[in-house]
Structure formats: structure tokens, C-alpha cells
Amino acid sequence: MSHDTHEKIVRMANQIATFFLSQPEAVRVDGVANHINKFWEPRMRRQLFEHIDKGGEGLLPLVIEASKVVKRPVAA
């Protein structure tokens, strides 16, 4: 994954998490995961997991937590 793609995925995931940080704590993790599952195509989710598997640098803790509920796409 290119550096630009990595930055874009991190920025987009963090924007989603930042929105859900304003919501009640009980809905945050599922809110982030549901948004990513519903609106991100498998390629984008695959890139997110590639980044998380390499340590997830730059991702907000809420994204890391929500990733446990995000559907991991099968390998390309």
C-alpha cells in the first residue's frame, strides 16, 4: 500500500471515529464498525486491516477497537 493510500485510510477512519466520539460511549464502537462495513468497499477494508496488522500507526484507539467488529475481507 502506498504512503498516500495509507494516509488517506487513516484520515478517513479517524474522521469516522471523531464523529462517533461525540456519541454516547455505548454506541461508539458499533457505530464506527457499522459505518465502515456499510460504506467502505472490501478493498478499503483490506487496506485498513493491512495497516492495523502493521501496528496501526496514527489510528485513533476507537478505530482499533472497532476493527474487531469490522468485517475483514478475504485476501485479494
Side-chain angles (χ1 to χ4, degrees), residues 16-49:
I16 295 164
T18 298
F19 169 80
F20 281 100
L21 284 170
S22 69
Q23 304 299 307
E25 190 170 347
V27 301
R28 292 176 186 172
V29 169
D30 284 340
V32 172
N34 288 338
H35 182 92
I36 291 172
N37 283 329
K38 187 173 182 179
F39 296 108
W40 285 26
E41 61 186 45
R43 178 183 53 83
M44 293 171 65
R45 285 185 279 121
R46 191 175 304 111
Q47 291 167 346
L48 175 65
F49 281 110

Side-chain angles (χ1 to χ4, degrees), residues 1-70:
M1 180 164 56
S2 76
H3 185 71
D4 288 342
T5 302
H6 147 93
E7 285 182 354
K8 183 177 179 187
I9 291 292
V10 168
R11 184 174 64 251
M12 291 172 61
N14 284 345
Q15 286 174 335
I16 295 164
T18 298
F19 169 80
F20 281 100
L21 284 170
S22 69
Q23 304 299 307
E25 190 170 347
V27 301
R28 292 176 186 172
V29 169
D30 284 340
V32 172
N34 288 338
H35 182 92
I36 291 172
N37 283 329
K38 187 173 182 179
F39 296 108
W40 285 26
E41 61 186 45
R43 178 183 53 83
M44 293 171 65
R45 285 185 279 121
R46 191 175 304 111
Q47 291 167 346
L48 175 65
F49 281 110
E50 286 171 4
H51 183 63
I52 289 170
D53 291 345
K54 293 177 183 171
E57 182 181 344
L59 288 169
L60 293 173
L62 179 54
V63 176
I64 302 295
E65 188 65 25
S67 73
K68 298 170 185 168
V69 187
V70 172

